[in-house]
C-alpha cells in the first residue's frame, strides 16, 4: 500500500493520540497542558498557539472518536465517525511546503484549534485508509494486557501486535515456555 509522506505522519500521529488514552493499557497521558504541549512538539504539529485546559478537553474528545474508528466493525461505521470528525473541524484543504517538507495538503483551516487541526488532518488520513478499502488495517494489539492501536502496513496484513519486540515477543516466549513445560510433563 502506497501512502504519501504527510498521510503517514498523520496516521502515526492519530495512533499515538489514541494510545495516550487509558484504554491502551496505561494511565491517561493527556491530562494537562504540559502533556499536550509535549504531544504537539513531538509530533511537529504546525501552527499551534497557546494551549489551554479547553484544548485538552477538545483533544480528549476527538481522541475518543478516533478510538471509535479503530473499533469500528465495518467501513460504513468508520466512515460515519470520520465524516463527523472532519465536518466538525471545518476542513479547508490547502497546499503547503513548510519546515523543509515538500508540497503536501493540510486540511485544517488557518488558525484552527489543535483539536480541529488533529481532527482534520488525522481524520483525512483515516479517510484515505477507508477509501482504499483498507479499514481492517486499523487495529488494536492482540496481546491480552495491551490494547494499543496501530496501523498494519505489512504487505499481507498479518501484523497482530503493536510492537513485535515487546508484545509479540513476550507472548511468543510465554507460549514457548508453556510448550516446554507441557513436554517436560
Amino acid at each position: 500500500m502506497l501512502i504519501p509522506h504527510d498521510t503517514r505522519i498523520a496516521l502515526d500521529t492519530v495512533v499515538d493520540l489514541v494510545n495516550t488514552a487509558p484504554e491502551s493499557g496505561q494511565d491517561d497521558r493527556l491530562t494537562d497542558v504540559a502533556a499536550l504541549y509535549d504531544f504537539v512538539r513531538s509530533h511537529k504539529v504546525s501552527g499551534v498557539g497557546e494551549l489551554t485546559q479547553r484544548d485538552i478537553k477538545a483533544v480528549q474528545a476527538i481522541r475518543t472518536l478516533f478510538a471509535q474508528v479503530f473499533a469500528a466493525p465495518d467501513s460504513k461505521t468508520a466512515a460515519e465517525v470520520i465524516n463527523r470528525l472532519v465536518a466538525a473541524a471545518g476542513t479547508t484543504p490547502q497546499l503547503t511546503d513548510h519546515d523543509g517538507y515538500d508540497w503536501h495538503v493540510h486540511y485544517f483551516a488557518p488558525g484552527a484549534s489543535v483539536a480541529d487541526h488533529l481532527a482534520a488532518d488525522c481524520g483525512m488520513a483515516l479517510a484515505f485508509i477507508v477509501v482504499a478499502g483498507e479499514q481492517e488495517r486499523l487495529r488494536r494489539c492482540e496481546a491480552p494486557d495491551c490494547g494499543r492501536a496501530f496501523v498494519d502496513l505489512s504487505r499481507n496484513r498479518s501484523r497482530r501486535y503493536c510492537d513485535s519486540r515487546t508484545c509479540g515477543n513476550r507472548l511468543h516466549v510465554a507460549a514457548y515456555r508453556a510448550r516446554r513445560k507441557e513436554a517436560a510433563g
Side-chain angles (χ1 to χ4, degrees), residues 34-66:
L36 184 55
Y37 270 119
D38 287 344
F39 183 86
V40 165
R41 260 192 308 275
S42 68
H43 291 85
K44 298 179 181 155
V45 178
S46 61
V48 174
E50 184 175 339
L51 299 174
T52 67
Q53 193 66 31
R54 175 183 279 176
D55 292 306
I56 293 167
K57 296 292 182 201
V59 170
Q60 288 172 337
I62 64 159
R63 176 181 70 184
T64 299
L65 292 173
F66 283 135

Side-chain angles (χ1 to χ4, degrees), residues 3 6 16 42 57 124 148 163 180:
I3 298 176
D6 55 323
D16 289 348
S42 68
K57 296 292 182 201
M124 288 305 298
R148 294 176 54 84
D163 186 347
R180 287 202 51 188

Side-chain angles (χ1 to χ4, degrees), residues 140-143 146 148-152 154 158-174:
R140 290 284 187 162
C141 184
E142 291 183 19
C146 194
R148 294 176 54 84
F150 67 94
V151 179
D152 178 6
S154 67
S158 62
R159 189 170 157 197
R160 298 174 47 207
Y161 307 108
C162 63
D163 186 347
S164 61
R165 291 180 306 245
T166 55
C167 289
N169 191 45
R170 188 175 25 143
L171 286 177
H172 288 38
V173 168

Side-chain angles (χ1 to χ4, degrees), residues 37-162:
Y37 270 119
D38 287 344
F39 183 86
V40 165
R41 260 192 308 275
S42 68
H43 291 85
K44 298 179 181 155
V45 178
S46 61
V48 174
E50 184 175 339
L51 299 174
T52 67
Q53 193 66 31
R54 175 183 279 176
D55 292 306
I56 293 167
K57 296 292 182 201
V59 170
Q60 288 172 337
I62 64 159
R63 176 181 70 184
T64 299
L65 292 173
F66 283 135
Q68 290 176 15
V69 174
F70 279 83
D74 54 47
S75 58
K76 183 174 176 28
T77 305
E80 289 170 356
V81 177
I82 292 168
N83 284 340
R84 277 196 324 238
L85 274 160
V86 172
T91 57
T92 307
Q94 57 186 323
L95 287 169
T96 184
D97 67 342
H98 63 88
D99 297 329
Y101 294 111
D102 285 334
W103 289 105
H104 59 282
V105 180
H106 280 185
Y107 294 94
F108 57 93
S113 70
V114 68
D116 285 345
H117 178 136
L118 292 169
D121 274 359
C122 296
M124 288 305 298
L126 292 172
F128 290 131
I129 295 293
V130 172
V131 166
E134 302 286 353
Q135 188 243 336
E136 73 276 1
R137 291 181 182 271
L138 305 176
R139 299 193 177 160
R140 290 284 187 162
C141 184
E142 291 183 19
D145 59 343
C146 194
R148 294 176 54 84
F150 67 94
V151 179
D152 178 6
L153 296 177
S154 67
R155 186 177 294 242
N156 62 357
R157 298 176 190 87
S158 62
R159 189 170 157 197
R160 298 174 47 207
Y161 307 108
C162 63

